[in-house]
Amino acid sequence: MSDTDLTLKFYERFGIKNGENLKGKVIWITGASSGIGEELAYQLSGIGSKLILSARRKSELERVKSTCLQRGVTEDEDIMILPLDLSVFDSHPSAAQKVLSKFDKIDILVNNAGRTQRSYAPDTSFEVDKECIKLNVIGTMSLTKAVLPDMVKRKSGHIVIISSIAGKIPAALQTAYCGAKFALQGYFDALRSELYDENITVTTICPGPVVSKVVENAMTTTLDKTVQDLGIAAAMQYGNRMPTARCAQIIIISMANKMSEVWCARNPALLVTYIAQYMPTIFRSLNSTFFARKRIKSLRDNMCGKKTN
């Protein structure tokens, strides 16, 4: 009946539950204009954290800040709007410097920005694969590198990565996205071990399907078409989706208790993740013969229906 892994469930019961130790912490959230990042900003402002909100759309960030001030206890001067394009790597060091100039430190970086992909691999242009890796992997690495020097200097810091269960189990029609999330898992698992003696925590969050517009904005076979453009968003929504507020609550518990890795998903996605982890041969057989076939058939049926209409 759980919607998290067993370790998270333990900390939710017996650990720091409400994130009270995050009050006053300087927390930089990327992808803060919608979805998980937006909800996380609201909940952290309710705790009293100092926030840096980043995304490409400044107007949406201003909307999120306004709502934070209405709902939360964080003061206006303690919420910084910092427009940022994760794929423009050269802008990351100067962005980090702007944050340090205002707050003197960055306690926690939440790498939440990214974009998913939904398309059949043989039909997908290599440009889509490159863009997915560039944004989700290289952009996240680049921004992390920009904040690490100050954390290492202070011997204090926390890097949070919003990965996905797609970084733990392969999913059909998400080849580039799975590749990106698997890469994040490997990179930050290794980084965690390197930063241990620097007193810097690395937390990887692996959500399953969450209520958001991430699928509607997903890349497809070409960069100029999204799932929403093709009119197949409903067919590309998988599983029993977790409410965004619950996902943000789990992230805060994970941050407050400095956990290493967390899985959060409603079933059957969480159960499938456990099967993939502990019975990999059985999972891979099921994945190829059942899950993948079902997804590919759904995509083809919907695409044929759109062409007919």
Side-chain angles (χ1 to χ4, degrees):
M1 298 300 292
S2 176
D3 59 0
T4 70
D5 65 81
L6 296 177
T7 308
L8 187 285
K9 188 58 67 177
F10 174 85
Y11 278 104
E12 186 172 21
R13 179 79 179 271
F14 300 107
I16 302 170
K17 303 174 186 179
N18 301 315
E20 55 263 29
N21 60 338
L22 301 178
K23 182 177 181 180
K25 295 290 186 181
V26 178
I27 303 177
W28 188 357
I29 307 171
T30 66
S33 62
S34 62
I36 294 171
E38 177 180 355
E39 181 60 35
L40 189 59
Y42 296 153
Q43 294 193 24
L44 288 171
S45 68
I47 295 169
S49 303
K50 299 178 181 181
L51 301 175
I52 303 94
L53 307 178
S54 286
R56 290 179 299 172
R57 299 172 294 173
K58 184 177 180 180
S59 61
E60 287 300 295
L61 293 174
E62 290 171 343
R63 175 186 61 80
V64 173
K65 177 178 179 177
S66 176
T67 305
C68 285
L69 294 173
Q70 292 171 21
R71 295 186 187 180
V73 297
T74 303
E75 299 293 335
D76 181 83
E77 62 270 20
D78 289 330
I79 302 180
M80 178 182 183
I81 290 178
L82 183 61
L84 183 76
D85 188 335
L86 203 61
S87 63
V88 183
F89 312 137
D90 292 345
S91 68
H92 298 170
S94 60
Q97 193 54 52
K98 288 177 183 177
V99 176
L100 293 172
S101 295
K102 179 174 177 61
F103 292 109
D104 295 324
K105 63 177 181 175
I106 300 167
D107 291 308
I108 304 174
L109 170 65
V110 181
N111 285 303
N112 171 68
R115 191 177 174 194
T116 189
Q117 163 260 336
R118 297 286 194 280
S119 54
Y120 184 53
D123 297 337
T124 303
S125 74
F126 185 56
E127 293 303 312
V128 169
D129 295 332
K130 287 197 298 182
E131 183 64 23
C132 194
I133 298 296
K134 176 183 177 182
L135 177 62
N136 292 297
V137 182
I138 309 301
T140 300
M141 291 167 57
S142 172
L143 189 61
T144 299
K145 289 274 192 175
V147 306
L148 273 181
D150 180 71
M151 290 184 175
V152 170
K153 181 180 178 181
R154 293 187 296 108
K155 291 282 186 179
S156 178
H158 193 166
I159 306 294
V160 179
I161 307 92
I162 310 302
S163 180
S164 169
I165 60 169
K168 305 296 293 184
I169 57 176
L173 306 183
Q174 294 178 258
T175 47
Y177 185 67
C178 283
K181 293 301 184 180
F182 268 80
L184 286 177
Q185 293 286 140
Y187 181 85
F188 283 98
D189 279 353
L191 186 65
R192 179 184 298 112
S193 62
E194 291 187 27
L195 296 178
Y196 179 81
D197 288 335
E198 305 291 351
N199 195 35
I200 298 172
T201 303
V202 176
T203 299
T204 308
I205 311 291
C206 301
V210 175
V211 176
S212 72
K213 294 183 178 180
V214 65
V215 173
E216 286 88 335
N217 297 320
M219 291 178 273
T220 56
T221 53
T222 59
L223 288 174
D224 62 337
K225 295 289 184 182
T226 67
V227 163
Q228 191 167 23
D229 293 334
L230 296 178
I232 56 170
M236 294 294 99
Q237 295 283 9
Y238 305 136
N240 183 11
R241 296 194 288 169
M242 174 180 285
T244 316
R246 172 58 177 161
C247 185
Q249 179 190 25
I250 290 168
I251 293 169
I252 288 173
I253 294 169
S254 307
M255 290 163 56
N257 291 281
K258 296 189 173 182
M259 300 180 67
S260 295
E261 181 172 300
V262 168
W263 304 350
C264 53
R266 285 185 163 183
N267 282 305
L270 185 62
L271 175 62
V272 171
T273 306
Y274 269 99
I275 292 172
Q277 187 80 2
Y278 297 107
M279 295 184 285
T281 301
I282 292 174
F283 166 75
R284 279 162 176 75
S285 178
L286 285 171
N287 195 37
S288 298
T289 60
F290 178 71
F291 299 129
R293 284 177 179 172
K294 184 178 179 182
R295 287 187 173 190
I296 293 168
K297 183 179 185 300
S298 176
L299 173 64
R300 287 175 173 166
D301 289 349
N302 275 271
M303 291 301 292
C304 287
K306 296 298 176 183
K307 289 178 181 178
T308 301
N309 294 336

